[in-house]
């Protein structure tokens, strides 16, 4: 039984497929406009969080495989955060991971398409970057658009399990990238070690692990490291993460084959290619 049938990171694939088939979209990409995102109440700690200027995060580990190959909790990276649904102005439990990707508009995230394609999660969707110990150091950002490939929207094709999200800070013209920094978008399978960061949905801090990404198929890569469980879908595969804020080049997101994997010890991602680049360009043009 696949991981996607448990709440291990995923919206169940059967549910996603049935919802997407209703859309019947035939273009190259599908654009979902998320409307009616309510402002969070003043009593919500997330809404009261002050948006800080970009900060340097000490990166005390080199880009070499982790020892042991088991995910470890850490203080987080500004450009990676958790996706929540907001219910009545309050945050519910986070359910997936996303990260800020460099763009001219400064307001784009990347995650797995299966995280954001079901109606349960596309309404009142918000992103909390740099979440750690249940503190929201860069505030709460509302998702206003979800851009997925038509091959995903029509058939939940696992080779197209990637999405770009447009975000805004309610009531402001702020650009999230100016506060958190961003990962560059990379194409092709990485040749070196990648760092994968995710937010298990049973804790308020992220996990990370580093290892060489292996080849699973012509369109998919795999990452072997233990304990990537519920909530880590959409977590970025980051190469060349040597900057002072922990950013580098995003070359994958947990998803793809079996919506990310059958066990928490092996994670999958699509290999970004021309379709991913075209999807990114579409998201930029419509953000």
């Amino acid at each position: 039984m696949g991981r996607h049938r448990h709440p291990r990171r995923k919206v169940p694939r059967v549910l996603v497929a049935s919802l997407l088939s209703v859309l019947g979209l035939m273009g190259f990409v599908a654009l979902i406009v998320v409307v009616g995102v309510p402002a969070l109440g003043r009593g919500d700690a997330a809404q009261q969080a002050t948006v800080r200027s970009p900060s340097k995060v000490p990166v005390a580990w080199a880009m070499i495989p982790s020892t042991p190959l088991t995910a470890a909790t850490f203080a987080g990276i500004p450009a990676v955060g958790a996706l929540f649904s907001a219910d009545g102005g309050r945050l519910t439990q986070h359910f997936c991971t996303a990260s800020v990707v460099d763009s001219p508009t400064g307001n784009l995230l990347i995650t797995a398409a299966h995280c954001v394609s079901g109606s349960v999660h596309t309404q009142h969707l918000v992103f909390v970057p740099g979440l750690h110990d249940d503190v929201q150091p860069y505030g709460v950002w509302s998702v206003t658009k979800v851009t997925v490939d038509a091959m995903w929207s029509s058939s939940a094709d696992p080779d197209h399990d990637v999405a770009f999200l447009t975000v805004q800070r309610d009531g402001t013209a702020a650009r999230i990238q100016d506060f958190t920094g961003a990962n560059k978008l990379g194409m092709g399978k990485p040749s070196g070690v990648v760092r994968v960061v995710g937010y298990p949905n049973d804790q308020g801090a992220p996990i990370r692990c580093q290892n060489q990404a292996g080849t699973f198929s012509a369109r998919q890569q795999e990452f072997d490291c233990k304990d990537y469980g519920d909530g880590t879908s959409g977590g970025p595969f980051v190469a060349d993460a040597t900057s002072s804020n922990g950013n580098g080049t995003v070359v994958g997101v947990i998803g793809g084959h079996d919506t990310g994997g059958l066990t928490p010890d092996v994670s999958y991602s699509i290999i970004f290619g021309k379709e991913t680049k075209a999807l990114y360009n579409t998201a930029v043009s419509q953000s």
Side-chain angles (χ1 to χ4, degrees):
M1 181 177 292
R3 252 193 293 191
H4 59 279
R5 295 188 180 180
H6 301 286
R8 182 159 315 269
R9 319 172 181 161
K10 328 268 188 279
V11 179
R13 177 181 266 176
V14 173
L15 174 59
V16 170
S18 63
L19 287 166
L20 293 174
S21 64
V22 173
L23 295 176
L25 298 176
M26 298 303 294
F28 185 79
V29 295
L31 177 65
I32 303 170
V33 180
V34 184
V35 297
V37 179
L40 300 179
R42 292 181 60 85
D44 194 313
Q47 180 69 9
Q48 294 182 34
T50 301
V51 178
R52 301 175 182 174
S53 299
S55 61
K56 292 185 177 181
V57 176
V59 181
W61 57 89
M63 290 300 291
I64 58 176
S66 300
T67 305
L69 287 172
T70 301
T73 301
F74 75 119
I77 292 173
V80 183
L83 289 171
F84 293 78
S85 291
D87 182 12
R90 301 281 178 171
L91 298 185
T92 61
Q93 183 183 48
H94 55 88
F95 61 90
C96 268
T97 304
S99 57
V100 183
V101 62
D102 182 61
S103 69
T105 54
N107 62 352
L108 280 189
L109 312 180
I110 189 169
T111 188
H114 75 259
C115 285
V116 294
S117 296
S119 61
V120 172
H121 292 316
T122 55
Q123 293 183 348
H124 307 160
L125 184 65
V126 298
F127 175 66
V128 181
L131 177 71
H132 63 88
D133 301 317
D134 295 318
V135 174
Q136 301 90 13
Y138 304 98
V140 176
W141 300 75
S142 297
V143 175
T144 58
K145 293 184 181 70
V146 176
T147 306
V148 298
D149 192 280
M151 290 295 290
W152 175 266
S153 64
S154 63
S155 62
D157 185 336
D159 289 337
H160 295 85
D161 191 3
V162 63
F164 292 96
L165 315 182
T166 303
V167 296
Q168 68 178 24
R169 175 76 173 172
D170 290 342
T172 76
R175 298 172 7 131
I176 191 170
Q177 187 172 324
D178 294 336
F179 298 97
T180 64
N183 291 307
K184 299 289 185 180
L185 181 65
M187 297 293 117
K189 183 182 172 298
S191 58
V193 170
V194 297
R195 177 181 303 152
V196 178
V197 176
Y199 278 84
N201 63 15
D202 60 352
Q203 63 187 61
I207 57 174
R208 54 92 177 171
C209 187
Q210 297 178 180
N211 199 6
Q212 187 93 25
T215 299
F216 177 72
S217 69
R219 302 287 298 273
Q220 302 268 340
Q221 57 188 320
E222 69 174 78
F223 177 79
D224 297 342
C225 189
K226 296 180 179 180
D227 294 343
Y228 281 82
D230 304 11
T232 60
S233 266
F237 286 38
V238 181
D240 305 319
T242 57
S243 67
S244 60
N245 60 6
N247 294 332
T249 302
V250 57
V251 293
V253 293
I254 295 179
H257 177 65
D258 284 319
T259 53
L262 296 175
T263 77
D265 298 341
V266 180
S267 300
Y268 298 93
S269 168
I270 69 168
I271 297 172
F272 293 168
K274 61 181 181 180
E275 295 93 345
T276 308
K277 181 63 173 177
L279 191 69
Y280 166 83
N281 289 338
T282 298
V284 169
S285 69
Q286 296 177 337
S287 63

